[in-house]
Amino acid sequence: TSGKVLTGIYGGCNASGTVGGAIALNINGGLVGTDASNKAYGIFGGGKGSETRTADAVTVIIGNESSLKPTIYGDVYGGSAEGQVNDALAEITKVWLKKGVINGDLYGGGFGDNGSSALVNGSVQVVVDGGTVTGKVFGANNANGTPLGTVTVTINGTDTPQSGYALSEVY
């Protein structure tokens, strides 16, 4: 509950490779990132790099009912940083904020850029049951890429009321 990770957290491979089974990241306390001025690192359900893949469902859960509040500096993604998640349309990528503070944006999809679309083959679910997102909430990817399944975003409540959420279109 008091651990620190000053760089990024990835559920998948680095640079290349495939994770064959389901991925579950549970961040139940501690600190991820350094401070609000350095959002270069975040949390990714998948891997880091355009040659990374996951073959099954991806779940990222931030906080739980009995945890200390995790504090995250950086963006949170259900998908990969430039790679692919879910080999089949039937798979689901889920990001669930239960408790804590995300000092950045929350994305159900992945981090895509000019060279990579961070493909999400399945559906995406984003659920905010508690906690605080200081940035925006998006159902899909950041700059490049679109989930191939349905995208749902559910906002049930937060610890601190926010001025607004930006929700991506539902595909």
Side-chain angles (χ1 to χ4, degrees):
T1 58
S2 61
K4 293 181 183 179
V5 176
L6 302 181
T7 57
I9 296 176
Y10 299 86
C13 300
N14 184 27
S16 66
T18 300
V19 175
I23 295 174
L25 293 177
N26 293 289
I27 312 299
N28 291 324
L31 172 71
V32 177
T34 55
D35 60 51
S37 65
N38 182 8
K39 292 178 22 174
Y41 300 106
I43 296 174
F44 299 86
K48 179 182 180 185
S50 61
E51 299 299 318
T52 62
R53 299 172 59 97
T54 70
D56 208 335
V58 176
T59 304
V60 178
I61 299 174
I62 310 294
N64 65 38
E65 292 77 21
S66 63
S67 75
L68 297 174
K69 292 181 182 180
T71 301
I72 299 159
Y73 291 103
D75 297 333
V76 173
Y77 296 86
S80 294
E82 302 175 0
Q84 174 179 313
V85 294
N86 312 123
D87 270 351
L89 188 59
E91 302 302 336
I92 296 175
T93 298
K94 184 171 186 175
V95 181
W96 192 355
L97 176 60
K98 294 182 175 185
K99 195 173 188 180
V101 178
I102 298 172
N103 294 292
D105 296 330
L106 185 145
Y107 297 89
F111 173 81
D113 60 15
N114 290 336
S116 175
S117 63
L119 182 62
V120 178
N121 283 314
S123 296
V124 173
Q125 295 177 356
V126 174
V127 179
V128 178
D129 269 338
T132 301
V133 178
T134 64
K136 298 174 181 166
V137 175
F138 299 90
N141 292 15
N142 68 336
N144 188 6
T146 300
L148 300 180
T150 59
V151 174
T152 57
V153 177
T154 305
I155 309 292
N156 290 327
T158 60
D159 291 340
T160 306
Q162 297 297 299
S163 60
Y165 294 96
L167 304 179
S168 67
E169 294 180 38
V170 176
Y171 295 96

